[in-house]
Amino acid sequence: MSSIKNYIETNKERLINELIEILKIPSISADSAYKQDILKTADVVKLALEKAGCDLVEICETPGNPIVYGEKIIDPKLPTILVYGHYDVQPADPIELWESAPFEPIIKKTELHPEGAIFARGSADDKGQFYMHVKALEYMTSTNSLPCNIKFMIEGEEEIGSSSLGWFVKRNHDKLKNDIILISDTGMIAKDTPSITTGLRGLSYVEVEVTGANRDLHSGLYGGAVANPINVLCQMIASLHDENNHITIPHFYDKVQELSNEERAEMAKAPFSLDDYKKSLNINDIHGEKGYTTNERNAIRPTLDVNGIWGGYTGEGAKTVIPSKAFAKISMRLVPNQNWEEITELFTKYFESIAPKSVTIKVSAHHGGQAYVTPIDNIGYQAASKAYEITFGKKPIPMRSGGSIPIVALFEDELKSKSILMGFGLDSDAIHSPNEHYGIFNYLKGIETIPYFFQNFVDLQK
Ligand code: BES
Ligand code: MN
Ligand code: MN
């Protein structure tokens, strides 16, 4: 048995229990009520990095949530790998749909995970995944096998747009200097099919407010004579897609990077069953932009979705009312070459232009980020590919993901370094959903694979 496998086998229970302790803290970044838990989590991460062998660990204050920075520099002449992750998590609601409490982690066996999975908010996104790197460092320092310098940057605002991290990165080019950035905050194709994420979509997130009359009105006395902002908002939103599910915002697609037929054919080789996909979601049919496959629709094509919509009376029983206001939160996933600020502006202008005179419109931008693609002909990718080959016995498949980690494009702009996305999650992990879980297999496999990345990355420089 390899030394790392042996280490994991010997320390398995502890590795799992330590993660469980971190999962107990509700570090929800979206809700300021959890600020103390955010700070507590940052402290726990700091302690974990110190114990794992970092020589210097700091809690770096920002305008928002603190960033935990750690490093172990063994020789300034050797390469430096910067590990990025996030200790903040999504809110747990709707809480009633959880089968166990989101911040009381439990291990349950599932059909896919007969060895067990840890159920808790943040288990896969991203506490379980960044912690694999902490434990991989622990292994490397305890066996004296860390082959290069390592830096950690674990932030607390990823789920709300990473704005403080942008602020921090811009001010700390020297501190963060590195040869490659390593991130585990994505997924892989299947438990037995490793993959390396080579693309992330960008994001533009806006909130719209539609106002009709200056107050809520009796829907009998005024109904039919005054605009109902909810009706108007629904019509406006519906008109943002045409009959082919193409987005109707003028110039929205102007800069979209189209893939060549070869690239599309390459993508189509990844294992995928439409039947299983439909079954896993309990849907009778799929939906999406005409002319593209499911895997293209959710990775290489831009989209527009309503994430939430509200207004009027939603309490018990019936209330007859024409509300004064209606609201929606809308996200657009973007692909390479689309600029999120430009898209936000295109959306705003168009949305205002299609509003009838009977209402007034306010659009406010939340946050956004650019898409990211990495080439596969660099040392970082090869180091990752070889690492998976050793631990899974299979070459990983390059895969573009539909999700977003907006800060990755900023890393490239500011620090001039590439990010390698070695994610160990699965689509079935239910991230951002009730009953989020992370397979113990995935967690331990990650810890096993990471040290090989380090060694391969150093060896490939020679
Ligand atoms: N880890 C996810 C992103 C992800 C998950 C990428 C799986 C690929 C595969 C990250 O925490 C996330 O949720 N990002 C947000 C964007 C952010 C600005 C709120 C997203 O994609 O919605
Ligand atoms: Mn994440
Ligand atoms: Mn997330």
Side-chain angles (χ1 to χ4, degrees):
M1 203 193 297
S2 72
S3 148
I4 175 70
K5 260 206 156 117
N6 194 28
Y7 187 82
I8 290 169
E9 211 34 61
T10 317
N11 293 283
K12 196 167 153 182
E13 231 168 281
R14 179 178 59 83
L15 297 174
I16 293 167
N17 288 334
E18 284 180 18
L19 173 58
I20 284 178
E21 286 309 306
I22 296 183
L23 290 170
K24 286 181 184 168
I25 320 172
S27 49
I28 301 168
S29 50
D31 186 343
S32 57
Y34 294 90
K35 184 76 186 187
Q36 284 312 313
D37 294 299
I38 284 276
L39 300 178
K40 194 168 146 196
T41 310
D43 280 335
V44 171
V45 174
K46 175 173 185 266
L47 203 68
L49 284 171
E50 283 165 351
K51 276 196 184 155
C54 282
D55 298 329
L56 167 76
V57 188
E58 302 168 338
I59 299 229
C60 304
E61 299 303 329
T62 72
N65 296 339
I67 290 160
V68 188
Y69 173 83
E71 63 178 37
K72 184 172 181 68
I73 308 293
I74 55 171
D75 178 353
K77 287 193 286 298
L78 285 168
T80 300
I81 296 174
L82 172 66
V83 174
Y84 162 79
H86 62 94
Y87 66 78
D88 66 320
V89 301
Q90 285 278 334
D93 16 49
I95 215 123
E96 65 279 8
L97 296 182
W98 283 78
E99 280 166 23
S100 58
F103 298 104
E104 291 167 27
I106 60 158
I107 297 175
K108 275 198 293 192
K109 290 182 170 48
T110 69
E111 212 178 301
L112 183 62
H113 297 290
E115 24 354 76
I118 306 173
F119 282 74
R121 170 59 86 232
S123 54
D125 184 12
D126 179 42
K127 286 173 172 170
Q129 294 218 63
F130 87 71
Y131 203 65
M132 300 180 312
H133 292 267
V134 181
K135 294 297 101 178
L137 171 65
E138 173 191 290
Y139 162 75
M140 290 187 285
T141 48
S142 72
T143 52
N144 219 351
S145 62
L146 178 68
C148 61
N149 306 312
I150 182 169
K151 294 178 178 174
F152 278 88
M153 179 168 59
I154 311 296
E155 71 150 317
E157 285 180 28
E158 196 279 340
E159 299 292 8
I160 52 169
S162 298
S163 64
S164 296
L165 186 68
W167 177 93
F168 181 75
V169 169
K170 287 188 171 116
R171 282 164 181 75
N172 288 283
H173 282 191
D174 270 353
K175 190 190 194 87
L176 301 174
K177 202 168 170 335
N178 67 81
D179 296 279
I180 196 90
I181 298 172
L182 184 59
I183 305 176
S184 294
D185 192 23
T186 53
M188 52 185 193
I189 290 180
K191 211 176 157 185
D192 59 356
T193 314
S195 54
I196 300 175
T197 301
T198 52
L200 294 163
R201 285 195 287 192
L203 184 70
S204 161
Y205 202 111
V206 297
E207 186 162 328
V208 299
E209 179 184 316
V210 180
T211 309
N214 58 0
R215 60 199 157 87
D216 285 7
L217 302 170
H218 188 288
S219 66
L221 297 182
Y222 290 92
V226 176
N228 178 329
I230 301 182
N231 293 14
V232 170
L233 177 59
C234 290
Q235 270 170 352
M236 290 173 71
I237 288 171
S239 78
L240 295 174
H241 288 94
D242 69 13
E243 66 282 8
N244 294 324
N245 281 313
H246 227 65
I247 295 158
T248 54
I249 300 168
H251 304 295
F252 184 83
Y253 292 95
D254 280 7
K255 295 192 174 163
V256 166
Q257 190 188 72
E258 301 285 344
L259 263 65
S260 67
N261 287 338
E262 289 76 31
E263 284 172 302
R264 290 177 72 182
E266 196 54 42
M267 260 188 85
K269 282 188 197 156
F272 177 72
S273 151
L274 197 55
D275 271 341
D276 290 350
Y277 186 77
K278 286 195 275 194
K279 253 187 225 134
S280 76
L281 299 172
N282 201 12
I283 50 173
N284 293 322
D285 204 359
I286 46 160
H287 167 99
E289 191 184 357
K290 199 175 165 185
Y292 295 91
T293 65
T294 295
N295 279 328
E296 290 173 339
R297 286 169 178 167
N298 68 23
I300 61 163
R301 297 299 294 166
T303 56
L304 183 152
D305 277 292
V306 179
N307 295 250
I309 183 163
W310 69 101
Y313 184 70
T314 57
E316 199 185 323
K319 177 188 178 192
T320 51
V321 61
I322 294 182
S324 163
K325 285 180 188 293
F327 305 84
K329 289 184 194 279
I330 297 173
S331 69
M332 288 160 279
R333 296 282 168 172
L334 310 176
V335 298
N337 297 348
Q338 283 184 300
N339 176 296
W340 77 270
E341 279 152 325
E342 235 169 82
I343 292 289
T344 304
E345 215 179 295
L346 287 177
F347 174 91
T348 307
K349 268 200 200 135
Y350 184 63
F351 207 70
E352 283 166 357
S353 80
I354 60 172
K357 268 208 199 108
S358 52
V359 297
T360 54
I361 302 284
K362 201 169 108 194
V363 180
S364 29
H366 269 274
H367 52 72
Q370 315 297 30
Y372 181 73
V373 273
T374 58
I376 63 172
D377 60 356
N378 62 64
I379 295 178
Y381 185 91
Q382 286 158 16
S385 182
K386 287 205 165 97
Y388 283 103
E389 236 181 300
I390 296 168
T391 57
F392 282 82
K394 273 185 197 175
K395 232 189 163 94
I397 300 172
M399 175 190 80
R400 274 172 64 167
S401 168
S404 308
I405 311 177
I407 206 71
V408 172
L410 188 130
F411 288 156
E412 179 152 354
D413 289 346
E414 292 289 329
L415 304 174
K416 311 287 172 225
S417 36
K418 296 269 171 226
S419 293
I420 301 301
L421 301 160
M422 283 178 80
F424 291 87
L426 295 170
D427 282 352
S428 55
D429 290 344
I431 62 171
H432 295 208
S433 298
N435 306 308
E436 176 177 351
H437 56 282
Y438 192 36
I440 287 173
F441 168 86
N442 302 64
Y443 176 57
L444 300 178
K445 209 65 177 167
I447 300 173
E448 183 189 340
T449 308
I450 291 162
Y452 289 108
F453 173 87
F454 276 68
Q455 192 59 53
N456 296 343
F457 186 71
V458 173
D459 290 346
L460 283 165
Q461 318 264 332
K462 289 171 190 158

